[in-house]
Amino acid sequence: MLSREDNERLVRVGPGTPMGALMRLFWTPFLLARDLVADGQPHRIRLLGEDLVAFRDTSGRAGLVDHACPHRGAPMVFARNEHDGLRCMYHGWKFGVDGACQDTPAEPASSPLCRNVRIKSYPVRERNGVLWAYLGPDAEPPPLPEFEWNMVPEANVALSVRIQECNWLQALEGEIDSAHAAILHGRVDEQGTINQWRQAADLAPKFEVQAHDAGMQIASRRKVPGSDDGGVTAKEYIRVNQYLMPFYTLVPPQTQYPELSGHAWVPVDDDHTLCLMFTYTPAQPLYERTRQVFKSGGKGGRETGHPSDHSFEERPVTHPYPLYWSKYNRGNAYHFSYEMQVKQFNSGMPGLWIQDAACQSGVMPVYDRTKEHLGSTDLGIARTRRFLLDALRKLEADHQRPAPANAPSSFMWRAISITVDAGADWKQVGADFMRAKLGADFGYVP
């Protein structure tokens, strides 16, 4: 359980907040590169509580600027994207991706306005299908972070984005919580017993947590049934999730689903999160069949970890991320079916990410953590919160920045699943497997 004060410090991300200041020290992924077309329609963006517009100019450069024209506040989402600049439809003022004013056609030729006025803009970089923005205080941004999922060839990775109607921390904590998977995502038999997932063999895992140079490792240790019979050495199944600063998670693979995956839980504002999901293979192209299942859904149209192409309801262009609002939401109970819950799936909901979203955002956008009653399986969540609060205190008290903000290679981690002898040290056994190496295959022992 957190105090109300600590909860507020963790969840509020707007300008002037402690967590907002910490997050602005990092590059932020904010859009898929394919969504911006040269001289195409600008996109409304909101990041860390700031309203912005993204566009790609004639030369192919991506820009991220204020959503309001600095002349008299006209909406830049209606601006015309032309000749390497964004021209406001109100009086024709035009701005480049760097924020510099290029033209003020309604002003006299002698006017100094064009030389002196700028629109707020942020640096943007593009790598392997993802657009990144730096909203921080430094005139010279740090290098882009080296996440394996954004460094492998584009053919190796599937990317998707969606908006979730809750605070970023609620979404992130759902993914570092390994205890829920077999229950929330499990099937039920005629007696209502959960009978799916290897984790279901032991629904009360023991959790162990270890901090590292970029975040936290959260391990769940489960007994392997039958492994201590007939003189066979007892075995344990261990899944190690990764939390990476400031808002990334990596999920352990499974034998039947060996691809690596995870999320960036990017704060749109206090009440909404941009969920960027990545699934990738380190050393070979991702199977086309897998990519198609993500896009069209699984058996019976059920949602996978990625939102399918038919899971969205488009919003007007004045909404942030108008293409990525889910048709499964709090307002329609996430398409919950009690009959499905009783007879087929424990959640009663049509797919993995919907089940997670319902639990993370179904009560309220920002949950009051003073009402929680944490158990032993919440160790990773509790320690991650303390890790973040400690980072905030160091930044505020001593101006000490988190080390990974300026250490791009510190993000090269993998989540793993391993089977070990009972009592074995997973940190030692899994050390080589957890360190990502570009071009190296999985290497873990399922």
Side-chain angles (χ1 to χ4, degrees):
M1 182 178 73
L2 281 179
S3 69
R4 192 175 304 277
E5 179 183 58
D6 282 347
N7 191 48
E8 288 292 296
R9 285 167 59 78
L10 290 174
V11 301
R12 304 300 174 188
V13 296
T17 62
M19 183 57 73
L22 183 144
M23 287 189 173
R24 283 168 172 78
L25 299 175
F26 295 82
W27 281 96
T28 301
F30 70 94
L31 199 62
L32 300 182
R34 63 177 182 249
D35 289 331
L36 290 188
V37 178
D39 288 343
Q41 166 74 45
H43 283 240
R44 275 279 280 110
I45 301 294
R46 183 177 293 152
L47 281 179
L48 302 176
E50 289 194 49
D51 288 304
L52 304 161
V53 166
F55 69 103
R56 191 182 297 278
D57 71 10
T58 313
S59 299
R61 296 168 296 194
L64 188 64
V65 301
D66 199 334
H67 74 122
C69 179
H71 177 206
R72 284 170 49 197
M76 293 299 287
V77 72
F78 297 140
R80 191 166 66 246
N81 189 358
E82 60 175 28
H83 307 305
D84 281 335
L86 207 56
R87 187 181 294 277
C88 177
M89 70 172 185
Y90 202 7
H91 295 90
W93 289 27
K94 183 181 174 184
F95 302 91
V97 296
D98 61 355
C101 184
Q102 298 175 348
D103 192 20
T104 53
E107 291 296 312
S110 60
S111 171
L113 272 174
C114 192
R115 296 191 302 274
N116 298 332
V117 173
R118 299 181 65 87
I119 192 170
K120 179 174 67 176
S121 66
Y122 290 112
V124 175
R125 301 288 184 270
E126 183 173 341
R127 187 168 66 201
N128 283 14
V130 177
L131 294 171
W132 301 74
Y134 179 72
L135 280 63
D138 298 331
E140 183 62 34
L144 280 179
E146 295 175 1
F147 291 99
E148 186 178 29
W149 59 269
N150 197 225
M151 303 282 286
V152 297
E154 286 190 63
N156 294 27
V157 63
L159 300 167
S160 63
V161 295
R162 61 180 173 86
I163 294 293
Q164 187 163 306
E165 295 176 274
C166 71
N167 182 262
W168 75 278
L169 190 60
Q170 279 162 236
L172 183 144
E173 289 179 345
E175 192 146 276
I176 60 174
D177 165 23
S178 188
H180 82 274
I183 300 172
L184 175 64
H185 304 311
R187 292 177 180 269
V188 293
D189 59 23
E190 293 180 358
Q191 288 75 44
T193 303
I194 295 169
N195 61 2
Q196 192 191 31
W197 300 64
R198 188 174 180 186
Q199 298 96 294
D202 183 356
L203 292 178
K206 179 183 177 182
F207 276 76
E208 301 169 10
V209 181
Q210 175 74 33
H212 58 63
D213 53 351
M216 302 287 289
Q217 299 173 148
I218 301 119
S220 58
R221 186 186 291 267
R222 291 176 167 88
K223 299 175 183 177
V224 177
S227 65
D228 56 352
D229 296 339
V232 177
T233 303
K235 299 288 185 181
E236 291 177 323
Y237 176 57
I238 298 179
R239 293 172 60 80
V240 184
N241 292 64
Q242 298 282 356
Y243 159 69
L244 303 175
M245 292 192 78
F247 41 60
Y248 301 92
T249 50
L250 305 179
V251 180
Q254 302 178 62
T255 302
Q256 66 271 42
Y257 304 114
E259 302 86 7
L260 303 175
S261 64
H263 279 88
W265 305 101
V266 180
V268 173
D269 50 33
D270 293 345
D271 296 342
H272 300 87
T273 300
L274 179 72
C275 308
L276 167 62
M277 185 175 188
F278 44 87
T279 297
Y280 70 99
T281 46
Q284 63 185 23
L286 187 67
Y287 292 122
E288 189 58 32
R289 171 58 181 162
T290 300
R291 198 182 298 275
Q292 287 304 313
V293 168
F294 292 157
K295 290 174 66 63
S296 59
K299 293 180 180 178
R302 287 182 60 79
E303 294 291 307
T304 66
H306 288 266
S308 68
D309 289 347
H310 55 75
S311 66
F312 298 105
E313 53 183 22
E314 191 170 341
R315 300 283 179 95
V317 296
T318 47
H319 280 66
Y321 301 99
L323 303 177
Y324 294 117
W325 292 79
S326 169
K327 69 179 183 182
Y328 305 99
N329 52 58
R330 194 184 306 116
N332 58 32
Y334 304 91
H335 293 204
F336 171 79
S337 164
Y338 187 66
E339 182 178 5
M340 182 189 295
Q341 184 180 54
V342 171
K343 296 182 178 180
Q344 192 176 14
F345 296 100
N346 191 49
S347 68
M349 293 173 186
L352 292 176
W353 71 262
I354 303 171
Q355 297 157 5
D356 286 320
C359 291
Q360 295 157 12
S361 58
V363 171
M364 61 183 68
V366 180
Y367 186 67
D368 180 0
R369 289 176 173 80
T370 66
K371 297 179 179 180
E372 290 179 327
H373 296 81
L374 300 185
S376 61
T377 57
D378 298 308
L379 177 64
I381 289 170
R383 289 281 299 275
T384 299
R385 292 174 184 176
R386 293 299 163 190
F387 179 90
L388 284 166
L389 287 168
D390 185 56
L392 290 179
R393 281 190 287 267
K394 290 177 180 177
L395 182 62
E396 290 178 296
D398 304 320
H399 304 288
Q400 181 179 337
R401 298 187 178 192
N406 293 89
S409 62
S410 65
F411 297 100
M412 291 291 284
W413 289 93
R414 290 179 183 173
I416 62 168
S417 305
I418 54 175
T419 300
V420 300
D421 291 342
D425 184 350
W426 57 268
K427 296 184 291 295
Q428 181 179 357
V429 176
D432 288 340
F433 302 145
M434 287 187 287
R435 279 293 188 180
K437 302 176 184 67
L438 284 178
D441 213 336
F442 301 106
Y444 59 82
V445 181

